[in-house]
Amino acid sequence: METFTEVRGIAAPLLQPNVDTDVIIRVERCVRTPKEELGRYAFEALRLRPDGSEDPQFVLNRDPWRSAKILVCGENFGCGSSREMAVWAIAGMGVRCVIAPSFGEIFHGNCFQNGLLAIRLEPQTVERLARRAADPGTATFTVDLERQLINEDTAFEIDPLQRKALLEGLDAIGLTLSRESEIAAFQAADRKRRPWVYELPA
């Protein structure tokens, strides 16, 4: 998994609440679309008009937000069905960080399994960041995971294990293997305490 230490780029305001995974990536795109092509279909339900043309009112169809690396989102972002493809689609657009007051729990976990930083902040803080992102002159953000800072003035909290996974580019298996010596020490001590557990059947 790609490591994450800092991302600097355009932030796009997308404060619509309850954007679910069906809106992020339509179910029919999840069937035969290769993972590396899902990004082109991200937010298709919001990007396109019924005739298939781009909706110029949607923020990700306008410059400079078309090339956003950071999304500033509304409450309960990523709710709905538990499809990992929603995270793949967002990452496929080039987005590395999503900021919101709250997330769908499965979506939130899938972000960290796929190298996407998901930050929870108070609603008023998210609104302040969204106002800044809405101005092309101030839409460039810096998110520093090592120092846990956005734009040098907004601190955020993150689970230490999730932080470690992103900084070191580790998935769940990699996180477990990073503690291999601790696991071996536990097994050695446990073998002494309960040798019968380790006996092979005759």
Side-chain angles (χ1 to χ4, degrees), residues 1 8 12 18 34 43 50 73 86 95 101-102 112 127 136 153 158 160 168 180:
M1 194 167 69
R8 177 178 170 80
N18 304 312
F43 299 105
C73 301
V95 171
S102 58
F112 290 95
E127 290 172 9
D153 60 6
I158 183 172
E168 298 181 20
E180 192 171 6

Side-chain angles (χ1 to χ4, degrees), residues 73-76 99-103 119-123 126:
C73 301
E75 295 202 32
N76 204 25
I99 302 166
S102 58
F103 294 92
I119 299 173
R120 292 188 180 106
L121 292 173
E122 292 295 321
V126 173

